[in-house]
Amino acid sequence: MASAEYLDESPIEFGQIRVVQSSSAMPSQDSMEPTFSLPIGLPLSSSHSVPLPFPMSHGTTTLAFIFQGGVLAAADTRSSCSGLVACPAAQKILPIHSHLVGTTSGTSADCALWKRILARELRLYQLRHGRRLSTGGAAKLLSHMLQPFKGTELSVGGQQCFGRERSGPSLYYVCSDGTRLKGTLFSVGSGSPYAYSVLDQGVQWGLTVQEAVSIAREAVFRATYRDAYSGNCVDLYHITSKGWTRRNREDLKEEGVHPQWRVSFSTLTVETARE
Amino acid sequence: MEYLIGIQGPDFVLVAADNVAASSIIQMKHDYDKMFKLSEKILLLCVGEAGDTVQFAEYIQKNVQLYKMRNGYELSPAAAANFTRKNLADYLRSRTPYHVNLLLAGYDEADGPGLYYMDYLSALAKAPFAAHGYGAFLTLSILDRYYRPDLTRDEAVDLLKKCIEELNRRFILNLPSFNVRLIDREGIHDLEKLTLGAK
């Protein structure tokens, strides 16, 4: 009885308070100033609203890309809070169901919560309609669920990866500011520029699985090298039409020098998916 | 960062938008389409804050389609523009204003082609040519100088290319490619993507 009551309210009923951004751009009374209003400010500024109880910081490197063998997702495992490493063994890639994996970036608590809400909603959809929601639909659902919270300090930068026979693999980037993009290569987080530069050089459709895995690890490694807020180990998930498989977590600290990677590569073990 | 442009001719409207979807300093996507098809002869071009653009544009798009389903005929471009303006104005003084800049381009059987400029404060103006974004500062004077009401389609495309060349020369940001579409009596036509900036 109690559990039914608890699930009655949908979280998207929560309201939000948002400061009107356009108030600063209203034309001034002073006729000396030119009265044109400047276009939107630089994208680096974000809207501030309700003050937080304590400052939240986040740093991560996650990436995902599509190639002929499916979708590969990789992420570091450092969970940082301002200047300290809160957890060196966090899990930033969360499977949502057997064929859908989401990476998280931003505030860990928010990401974990919203991934669970998304998993619940997808399962409900599957039970009600008898078929799975597509990745695009799941991404749109998440994007719409996050929309009422725009302007608050909610920070969720996630990607969805999918491998399916009929429509092929697909990859979407969803962010708490409302962005939803379909693409073939995304990297999210404070270490993402470093990862992008490595991925842009090597990722193409025709990669073999081994090549894709090695370039994904290289990208995360380079990002963790330069970004203080990314580090520790790297997680890799490979999604195909048969589902996702997880590679063993590898500690990047032990492989500081590049040539040693090739040696340890051959001893990877692969866990197969379980429902 | 983003750029929209529209040029109205005697029996057509030419519109173009850049293809970059950016997040802070990173180009997340190089082939992003900023045009939303409201009906067979109306296009909505939408730029602005990250999630607001898609949310608002899709809201308008679905409502225009709903009108058609309920009433059996489509909204005219002028009606769609005013509907959009009303919605934007209603949200402006709510707790959740949409920060979007729009161009609405359409062809009406009775009134001919129309281009409507709307900014985030929901100011609506019907204009022969219009542009949004930082690039507008660089290209509006080119449009002022060379625009004529009786432009042919080729001349309009040349004028568009002049504007984009100026952007490539003087704008600090890299906008490598642009989607170009033309609306006339027959509907919406996709023209060739302009990639004057890509090396």
Side-chain angles (χ1 to χ4, degrees):
Chain A
M1 204 55 189
S3 59
E5 280 172 358
Y6 179 74
L7 287 172
D8 262 348
E9 277 276 309
S10 167
I12 62 175
E13 307 291 300
F14 295 165
Q16 59 143 354
I17 302 160
R18 188 165 134 189
V19 173
V20 175
Q21 283 169 310
S22 51
S23 55
S24 58
M26 292 293 195
S28 59
Q29 298 288 335
D30 189 359
S31 57
M32 305 266 270
E33 314 277 350
T35 49
F36 66 84
S37 64
L38 286 173
I40 311 158
L42 289 172
L44 293 171
S45 63
S46 58
S47 57
H48 296 285
S49 52
V50 183
L52 290 172
F54 48 84
M56 295 193 195
S57 315
H58 40 265
T60 189
T61 307
T62 68
L63 59 96
F65 58 89
I66 300 181
F67 66 111
Q68 55 81 20
V71 189
L72 201 68
D76 73 309
T77 59
R78 174 174 291 178
S79 190
S80 60
C81 183
S82 294
L84 104 95
V85 176
C87 175
Q91 192 175 7
K92 301 195 186 179
I93 311 188
L94 304 173
I96 297 173
H97 60 67
S98 66
H99 285 75
L100 184 62
V101 159
T103 65
T104 68
S105 145
T107 315
S108 315
D110 289 332
C111 290
L113 172 69
W114 282 101
K115 281 292 174 336
R116 289 198 61 171
I117 291 175
L118 182 66
R120 180 193 75 188
E121 294 298 327
L122 291 181
R123 183 73 180 134
L124 282 173
Y125 184 95
Q126 187 182 1
L127 290 169
R128 284 174 186 147
H129 296 90
R131 62 179 178 88
R132 274 209 183 114
L133 195 51
S134 65
T135 315
K140 211 167 181 80
L141 184 61
L142 182 61
S143 175
H144 283 299
M145 288 198 291
L146 291 173
Q147 209 264 335
F149 297 91
K150 195 166 155 120
T152 65
E153 287 285 330
L154 181 72
S155 169
V156 172
Q159 302 148 312
Q160 328 274 343
C161 321
F162 194 89
R164 198 160 75 162
E165 294 178 70
R166 202 162 30 95
S167 52
S170 54
L171 174 61
Y172 283 83
Y173 165 70
V174 178
C175 186
S176 51
D177 67 4
T179 316
R180 175 183 162 267
L181 301 170
K182 181 174 160 68
T184 56
L185 167 69
F186 286 116
S187 175
V188 186
S190 56
S192 67
Y194 310 110
Y196 265 122
S197 37
V198 173
L199 291 169
D200 281 335
Q201 290 197 329
V203 167
Q204 50 193 337
W205 176 260
L207 291 174
T208 66
V209 175
Q210 282 213 338
E211 285 170 347
V213 167
S214 81
I215 199 170
R217 282 172 56 210
E218 174 91 26
V220 175
F221 173 60
R222 296 281 164 214
T224 58
Y225 186 69
R226 283 287 177 184
D227 181 29
Y229 298 109
S230 307
N232 295 106
C233 310
V234 58
D235 272 337
L236 275 159
Y237 276 70
H238 180 211
I239 301 105
T240 60
S241 55
K242 299 186 185 58
W244 55 262
T245 58
R246 185 187 174 193
R247 312 221 157 216
N248 259 354
R249 176 173 283 193
E250 295 146 38
D251 195 347
L252 294 171
K253 195 172 58 161
E254 292 165 4
E255 303 165 3
V257 183
H258 193 86
Q260 289 176 2
W261 283 40
R262 310 284 158 77
V263 174
S264 60
F265 200 114
S266 58
T267 61
L268 279 177
T269 60
V270 174
E271 296 171 24
T272 50
R274 283 178 282 275
E275 274 287 351
Chain B
M1 312 300 146
E2 304 169 294
Y3 182 67
L4 300 177
I5 180 173
I7 303 173
Q8 181 197 324
D11 59 348
F12 66 91
V13 189
L14 182 72
V15 286
D18 73 290
N19 277 337
V20 170
S23 169
S24 171
I25 57 167
I26 305 277
Q27 283 187 14
M28 306 278 309
K29 221 167 131 69
H30 312 286
D31 54 358
Y32 184 60
D33 192 0
K34 300 183 185 177
M35 305 195 194
F36 294 84
K37 185 174 151 181
L38 297 190
S39 75
E40 288 307 313
K41 295 185 189 166
I42 309 180
L43 270 181
L44 180 69
L45 287 78
C46 192
V47 291
E49 198 174 315
D52 287 354
T53 51
V54 175
Q55 285 286 130
F56 185 73
E58 285 190 348
Y59 174 72
I60 300 295
Q61 190 182 42
K62 303 311 172 201
N63 273 292
V64 169
Q65 291 297 312
L66 182 63
Y67 184 94
K68 182 184 171 184
M69 282 180 215
R70 279 187 178 147
N71 300 291
Y73 62 92
E74 290 183 340
L75 276 173
S76 67
N82 279 290
F83 170 70
T84 310
R85 190 212 68 80
K86 178 81 169 67
N87 271 291
L88 200 53
D90 285 341
Y91 277 107
L92 183 63
R93 289 202 162 87
S94 71
R95 293 193 312 175
T96 60
Y98 285 107
H99 199 298
V100 292
N101 293 314
L102 311 165
L103 282 183
L104 195 141
Y107 188 92
D108 191 22
E109 289 301 326
D111 300 328
L115 177 67
Y116 296 86
Y117 170 98
M118 203 177 322
D119 73 357
Y120 68 99
L121 297 169
S122 79
L124 174 66
K126 186 172 193 301
F129 55 85
H132 272 301
Y134 285 121
F137 289 98
L138 295 167
T139 51
L140 278 173
S141 47
I142 298 177
L143 291 165
D144 281 329
R145 191 173 171 205
Y146 292 109
Y147 176 80
R148 289 181 341 264
D150 57 351
L151 283 175
T152 67
R153 284 170 170 72
D154 290 331
E155 285 169 349
V157 173
D158 284 338
L159 183 52
L160 176 64
K161 281 183 182 159
K162 273 200 186 75
C163 293
I164 292 177
E165 276 162 11
E166 179 59 23
L167 281 185
N168 290 328
R169 191 177 303 130
R170 288 289 181 185
F171 192 38
I172 51 166
L173 295 187
N174 184 29
L175 295 174
S177 71
F178 292 80
N179 268 352
V180 185
R181 292 202 166 97
L182 186 123
I183 311 176
D184 62 5
R185 156 164 281 131
E186 272 86 49
I188 302 173
H189 310 280
D190 285 347
L191 298 184
E192 213 181 294
K193 244 187 207 183
L194 283 178
T195 54
L196 302 172
K199 300 278 182 294

